[in-house]
Structure formats: structure tokens, C-alpha cells
Amino acid sequence: MDTKILFEKVFENNVQQLKNWEFNEIIGESLYKKYTGHYAFVKLKISRIDDIAPQNQYINNLTQKELPLEFVNEIWNTCNNFTEYFKEINCDIPFLKFELLDGTYHKIDSRLLCFQKATCYAIKNAFDNSFMPISTFDMQSIINRKIENQ
């Protein structure tokens, strides 16, 4: 799926919220779960880079066992697409630091598209924490899956 279209849909009623962002540190998380069992959980911290940097920074706090590199790379691609989307609606954007705080997957059923959507929704949640609340049941299943993946 084209992430630009996904960001346009997710932020269609909140574009002004993005334009008004003063680049303070924000944290968002999202569980994207399909009825088929495919799912992805992503928790990100987004902040302005204080020093002069020539590009966005990406920090992964997870081991490859906790979240395989293919999924981490999809998260970073989606974050990069967010900055491109942001530039289209607000041309004055500094370089950003994206920090992956947490994430999990299903060893058999997780897909790249699930991580693309979970990342997009986590970014939306960072701007609007009422968006996509994670139920206690779903959070417990994430904790159980993290234990299984270790």
C-alpha cells in the first residue's frame, strides 16, 4: 500500500495538528491486528534532532530476536515516508529522531504491511493519544507473544 495515501487518510481531519507541532518529543504506539491473526505492535518516540544533522536518525532499542530486521526496516521506511508526507503539508520540518521503543510480531503470521500500518497508526497516536487505543486483552496477548518469541 502507498504510505502517502495511508497518511493522508489517517491525518485527513488532523492536518492542522501536524502543522502546529512544535517538534516536542512525542510517543505513540499501535497494535495493528487483522482477523486472520496477522498483527504488528510498534511503539515509537519522535523528537527533533537537537544538533545539526544531515538526515533523520533511527534508533532501534530492540534485538533482532525481539523484532527481526525486515520488520524494523519497514518501520524506518514508513517513518521516512511520514517525513516526506509532512514536508508536503508543512515545508519547514527539521530532521527528526525516530526511536523504536517496543515492538512485537508473530513468528509465522506477521507481514510487512502490518508493520507499515502499525507504524503509521503509532505516529497518529503520538499526535492524538485517543486514536487506536489498545485494549487490555490485546496488550496481554502482546506480552504473551513477546515471551514466546524470546
Side-chain angles (χ1 to χ4, degrees):
M1 173 178 249
D2 181 0
T3 52
K4 180 183 178 219
I5 294 170
L6 186 58
F7 281 118
E8 286 173 351
K9 286 174 74 172
V10 168
F11 284 103
E12 70 183 337
N13 297 323
N14 301 92
V15 171
Q16 198 59 43
Q17 196 175 24
L18 289 176
K19 289 181 178 183
N20 293 339
W21 184 34
E22 296 181 2
F23 305 105
N24 53 314
E25 181 179 285
I26 54 177
I27 296 175
E29 61 186 347
S30 176
L31 170 67
Y32 177 77
K33 187 175 177 182
K34 292 184 70 164
Y35 67 91
T36 59
H38 301 169
Y39 80 91
F41 173 72
V42 173
K43 184 173 183 179
L44 289 171
K45 179 170 34 172
I46 307 168
S47 58
R48 170 187 216 131
I49 297 175
D50 291 330
D51 57 349
I52 298 173
Q55 61 189 15
N56 291 330
Q57 293 178 356
Y58 304 94
I59 299 169
N60 179 8
N61 291 320
L62 304 177
T63 66
Q64 184 151 337
K65 189 173 184 179
E66 291 173 305
L67 193 63
L69 192 56
E70 67 180 306
F71 299 131
V72 173
N73 287 338
E74 189 61 33
I75 291 167
W76 297 151
N77 288 337
T78 305
C79 290
N80 190 53
N81 290 335
F82 168 72
T83 59
E84 294 303 313
Y85 168 73
F86 198 97
K87 287 176 189 176
E88 288 182 18
I89 61 168
N90 183 355
C91 59
D92 189 23
I93 179 174
F95 289 110
L96 299 174
K97 177 169 60 172
F98 294 92
E99 186 172 354
L100 182 58
L101 301 176
D102 200 1
T104 193
Y105 70 107
H106 188 278
K107 286 183 179 181
I108 297 168
D109 288 331
S110 287
R111 304 284 185 265
L112 294 177
L113 182 61
C114 295
F115 278 91
Q116 183 184 92
K117 289 185 175 184
T119 303
C120 181
Y121 298 150
I123 292 170
K124 169 67 173 172
N125 176 256
F127 286 93
D128 177 6
N129 61 12
S130 68
F131 179 77
M132 296 278 303
I134 300 172
S135 71
T136 306
F137 172 78
D138 286 337
M139 192 48 119
Q140 187 58 50
S141 68
I142 288 170
I143 293 167
N144 293 342
R145 185 65 62 196
K146 284 184 78 72
I147 292 168
E148 289 174 19
N149 288 342
Q150 291 181 354

